[in-house]
């Protein structure tokens, strides 16, 4: 599958000096090093999957099981694979960080070859991707599954504030900070608790408000709710994008005395004074300062820079330009995308990636066989909106923002059953079914349960 090429042949710029070995069987298949010369590798594969997150891992499993050993390469630099939907529960002290990850080697399929490097340059006209180790990977088909990058540094003062020992600023979005949220929570005795949602698309758009409900319940359980003011400042014009669920969430905020300010965007953290600066997006340039005793910040996010710099692959919003139904790239027929980096207008969640996976798989195979693409993604996404330490509203909807619910119960109500599903059942489903490529979203369950709810889709 891979051939070593000597220096001098056209290749990528070498960006890392350290040797990095590729594949599950590393280091035996690693690149050759000598004192005088570095040899870069050239890999060839049927399918290159860039990213070993939820979508990349599930797709690598499906594809490698169908195509056979070493036909699929996964390009992924990280050692750990995190189950990110658990981060909110970690922030609330309901789970520990160790419960949220496995090693990448454990979750990537054995039939795929793992190149433990980062994608640095995409060249879709030549069907190649260059890696951080200076290698070139040539593919027949490319699946972009990079996910999003967190951009804490885009808000002046935020990255520094998060690093302050025993500080007041926290964030569930990064494994580096998720446990710190519960630490800040336990240190907080009163004052203004401020929560944010940035002015960019984010993964799991429900998470910024789930942590608000959990924190509110935390203080209520302690009998100290009257000591804190709770404010959720969101850059969005709405509390939640799907009216059916927004109509359920607004009364919850009202009943629990949570102030919600829409179109309010965090632009600076002055941590020396414990002041967060927000811009009113309805009146650009108009700033207001809010003093905090706890600030929960959600970073702006984007597709990785290495991907966005390949303009030919991206849409004007900075996401991979794929067809909303087939998930095939609109200009490169051998390129597909899955998950958060895709430009499809669905909510960016693991559940969406699960529902996309059979569509991408079957359409990719059809494209390989020169057949028409017949599978269609309907925009399904799901968001278990945890509303405290024992309740959850399970939002499920499609591109049209119409509810597309699985269970034969009113899902816009807070339920203990949905909380248990989110906390205990979903992680199992994720590790045991989704990552090995066997979970295609709840479409089949929805059809089965549909027998009990004739009025619903
Ligand atoms: C889901 O498919 C999924 O992906 C694995 C999640 O992410 C972990 C979810 O949270 C949910 C709710 C779903 C949808 C599954 C069912 C059974 C409704």
């Amino acid at each position: 599958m891979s051939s070593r090429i000597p220096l001098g042949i056209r290749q990528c710029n070498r960006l890392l000096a350290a040797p990095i070995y590729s594949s599950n069987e590393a280091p035996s298949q690693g690149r050759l090093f000598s004192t005088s010369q570095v040899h870069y590798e050239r890999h060839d594969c049927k399918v290159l999957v860039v990213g070993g997150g939820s979508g990349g891992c599930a797709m690598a499993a499906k594809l490698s099981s169908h195509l056979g050993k070493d036909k699929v390469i996964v390009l992924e630099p990280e050692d750990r694979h995190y189950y990110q939907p658990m981060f909110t529960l970690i922030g609330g002290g309901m789970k520990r960080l160790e419960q949220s990850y496995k090693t990448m080697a454990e979750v990537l399929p054995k039939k795929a070859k793992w190149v433990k490097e980062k994608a640095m340059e995409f060249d879709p006209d030549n069907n190649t991707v260059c890696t951080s180790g200076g290698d070139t990977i040539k593919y027949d088909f490319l699946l972009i599954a990079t996910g999003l990058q967190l951009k804490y540094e885009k808000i002046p003062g935020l990255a520094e504030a998060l690093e302050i020992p025993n500080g007041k600023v926290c964030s569930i979005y990064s494994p580096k900070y998720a446990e710190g949220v519960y630490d800040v929570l336990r240190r907080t005795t009163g004052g203004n608790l401020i929560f944010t949602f940035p002015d960019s698309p984010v993964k799991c758009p429900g998470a910024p408000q789930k942590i608000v409900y959990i924190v509110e319940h935390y203080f209520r359980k302690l009998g100290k709710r009257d000591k804190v003011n709770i404010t959720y400042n969101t850059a969005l014009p709405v509390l939640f994008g799907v009216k059916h669920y927004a109509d359920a969430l607004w009364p919850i905020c009202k009943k629990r005395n949570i102030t919600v300010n829409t179109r309010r965007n965090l632009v600076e953290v002055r941590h020396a004074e414990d002041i967060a600066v927000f811009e009113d997006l309805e009146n650009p340039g108009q700033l207001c300062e809010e003093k905090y005793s706890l600030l929960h910040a959600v970073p702006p996010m984007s597709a990785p820079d290495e991907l966005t710099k390949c303009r030919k692959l991206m849409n004007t919003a900075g996401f991979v330009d794929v067809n909303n139904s087939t998930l095939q790239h609109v200009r490169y027929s051998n390129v597909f995308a899955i998950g958060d980096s895709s430009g499809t207008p669905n909510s960016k969640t693991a559940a969406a990636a699960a529902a996309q996976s059979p569509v991408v798989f079957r359409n990719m195979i059809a494209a390989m066989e020169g057949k028409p693409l017949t599978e269609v993604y309907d925009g399904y996404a799901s968001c278990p909106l945890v509303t405290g330490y024992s309740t959850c509203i399970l939002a499920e909807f499609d591109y049209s923002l119409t509810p597309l619910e699985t269970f034969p119960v009113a899902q816009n109500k807070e339920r203990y059953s949905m909380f248990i599903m989110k906390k205990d059942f979903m992680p199992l489903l994720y590790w045991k079914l989704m990552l090995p490529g066997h979970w295609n979203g709840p479409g089949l369950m929805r059809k089965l349960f549909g027998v009990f709810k004739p009025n619903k889709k």
Side-chain angles (χ1 to χ4, degrees), residues 83 350-351 380 382 384 394 396 406-407 426 429 434 439 442 445:
Y83 174 62
Y380 173 85
S382 159
L394 179 60
E396 293 180 279
T406 302
F407 299 103
M426 277 303 150
L429 182 144
M434 181 169 173
W439 175 246
M445 271 174 90

Side-chain angles (χ1 to χ4, degrees), residues 26-171:
S28 60
Q29 293 185 13
R31 135 181 3 108
L32 285 183
F33 275 81
S34 76
T35 47
S36 56
Q37 244 188 11
V38 178
H39 292 265
Y40 300 102
E41 275 195 70
R42 182 184 173 103
H43 310 262
D44 283 294
C45 60
K46 183 87 184 155
V47 184
L48 171 61
V49 178
V50 180
S54 309
C57 197
M59 284 304 300
K62 280 181 189 289
L63 288 163
S64 64
S65 145
H66 182 85
L67 297 170
K69 194 161 168 56
D70 286 349
K71 298 280 185 219
V72 176
I73 289 183
V74 183
L75 187 56
E76 168 57 62
E78 297 294 329
D79 286 311
R80 284 181 181 174
H81 177 115
Y82 287 96
Y83 174 62
Q84 299 181 48
M86 197 177 274
F87 289 176
T88 329
L89 303 180
I90 294 170
M94 288 176 254
K95 296 269 185 184
R96 285 169 292 108
L97 189 67
E98 305 90 81
Q99 296 172 280
S100 71
Y101 65 84
K102 291 189 193 288
T103 63
M104 199 59 78
E106 260 179 290
V107 297
L108 288 179
K110 299 289 173 273
K111 281 188 178 168
K113 183 178 174 188
W114 174 23
V115 175
K116 195 176 175 301
E117 293 177 19
K118 195 166 194 244
M120 299 305 293
E121 271 175 49
F122 292 78
D123 183 356
D125 293 314
N126 291 302
N127 299 330
T128 56
V129 170
C130 293
T131 74
S132 49
D135 296 350
T136 304
I137 304 179
K138 185 150 178 64
Y139 57 80
D140 292 345
F141 283 82
L142 173 68
L143 177 63
I144 302 176
T146 59
L148 300 184
Q149 61 184 0
L150 306 175
K151 297 188 136 179
Y152 286 106
E153 70 288 350
K154 275 196 93 180
I155 298 175
L158 176 57
E160 297 85 333
L162 284 162
E163 295 293 336
I164 297 171
N166 301 322
K168 295 177 178 171
V169 181
C170 57
S171 183

